[in-house]
Amino acid sequence: GAVVSQHPSWVICKSGTSVKIECRSLDFQATTMFWYRQFPKQSLMLMATSNEGSKATYEQGVEKDKFLINHASLTLSTLTVTSAHPEDSSFYICSARSLNTYEQYFGPGTRLTVT
Amino acid sequence: GESVGLHLPTLSVQEGDNSIINCAYSNSASDYFIWYKQESGKGPQFIIDIRSNMDKRQGQRVTVLLNKTVKHLSLQIAATQPGDSAVYFCAENNGKGSGGSNYKLTFGKGTLLTVNP
């Protein structure tokens, strides 16, 4: 149980284009989903918190107009990197939690490379 | 504050030895702590958690110790195996914020564990 998937697992895009990453909770309802970014040999940095049906809460320094988050259902959240640049190349990881639990279940991550 | 580093601390052990991975957390208000294991190119995998009203919790081959006085957390792995080789992260939750933000985690910098056969 408690499986979270991400799609795609890796993506290469050209500078200036937009990329959408999906995060799905497969066997539970995720009231909250979190999006993280991880650079090589570094820790996970929280980008934003999204609650189903409401606007995402972004961490300081994360541009909400560049990283669009939609949490339209209890099993799906999407992160769209708009006008991607090479410095956006990173490993993007989502996690999900169900109501009244602390535990977060992590997805397998999406490797984004912007050329 | 957040503990994100530009280089990863490393720990190298022999197969069969016990491993101890340490973490200094930053927020004295944090009330929930988790250890995650991350293999290369994968998402973090839950290992064990502990609440602030406890100082020790044991799982299968793993033990977490919490010292709130010095804001220190440790993960002990018994009889370390090659499959334990990975980066280990501690994470803390301080329960502040509203709604889902109440559950957000702050991750430590991580420790790379290498198990030599």
Side-chain angles (χ1 to χ4, degrees):
Chain A
V3 178
V4 176
S5 70
Q6 283 184 239
H7 177 81
S9 55
W10 60 270
V11 57
I12 302 172
C13 70
K14 292 189 175 181
S15 188
T17 62
S18 295
V19 174
K20 180 185 284 188
I21 302 170
E22 292 185 349
C23 177
R24 292 182 186 272
S25 57
L26 299 186
D27 51 4
F28 68 100
Q29 293 186 329
T31 50
T32 308
M33 285 184 169
F34 302 88
W35 286 95
Y36 297 84
R37 181 167 51 182
Q38 186 179 33
F39 293 107
K41 297 189 188 297
Q42 293 192 26
S43 188
L44 282 76
M45 292 294 293
L46 180 65
M47 299 175 67
T49 302
S50 76
N51 293 299
E52 184 265 337
S54 63
K55 290 184 178 180
T57 302
Y58 289 81
E59 294 299 300
Q60 192 172 7
V62 178
E63 300 175 56
K64 63 179 181 180
D65 294 330
K66 180 171 181 61
F67 298 99
L68 302 178
I69 291 172
N70 184 283
H71 192 161
S73 78
L74 284 171
T75 59
L76 173 65
S77 177
T78 61
L79 168 68
T80 301
V81 183
T82 62
S83 187
H85 291 285
E87 57 265 31
D88 298 323
S89 298
S90 188
F91 194 49
Y92 291 87
I93 308 171
C94 73
S95 70
R97 60 166 282 272
S98 58
L99 191 63
N100 296 327
T101 65
Y102 274 105
E103 191 168 344
Q104 294 183 25
Y105 303 98
F106 283 81
T110 297
R111 174 75 59 193
L112 170 63
T113 302
V114 184
T115 62
Chain B
E2 296 176 349
S3 51
V4 174
L6 295 178
H7 63 275
L8 217 50
T10 59
L11 174 66
S12 183
V13 301
Q14 289 298 124
E15 181 178 359
D17 287 352
N18 297 332
S19 303
I20 300 176
I21 300 171
N22 297 301
C23 175
Y25 65 92
S26 55
N27 193 329
S28 57
S30 293
D31 57 3
Y32 178 63
F33 305 87
I34 316 103
W35 279 100
Y36 288 98
K37 172 186 180 183
Q38 187 181 30
E39 296 174 315
S40 182
K42 298 183 178 180
Q45 176 187 352
F46 173 90
I47 301 173
I48 192 168
D49 60 359
I50 189 169
R51 297 193 185 277
S52 59
N53 60 354
M54 303 171 68
D55 53 22
K56 180 179 181 179
R57 189 159 187 233
Q58 289 185 289
Q60 189 176 13
R61 276 203 310 120
V62 294
T63 301
V64 55
L65 298 178
L66 174 63
N67 185 329
K68 294 182 289 293
T69 303
V70 295
K71 293 189 287 186
H72 184 267
L73 197 64
S74 70
L75 176 70
Q76 301 178 3
I77 305 174
T80 315
Q81 303 167 2
D84 295 326
S85 295
V87 177
Y88 289 81
F89 292 98
C90 65
E92 61 183 298
N93 168 270
N94 62 26
K96 289 191 174 178
S98 60
S101 294
N102 192 43
Y103 297 91
K104 66 180 185 179
L105 298 174
T106 300
F107 278 76
K109 65 173 61 178
T111 296
L112 173 63
L113 174 66
T114 301
V115 182
N116 302 308

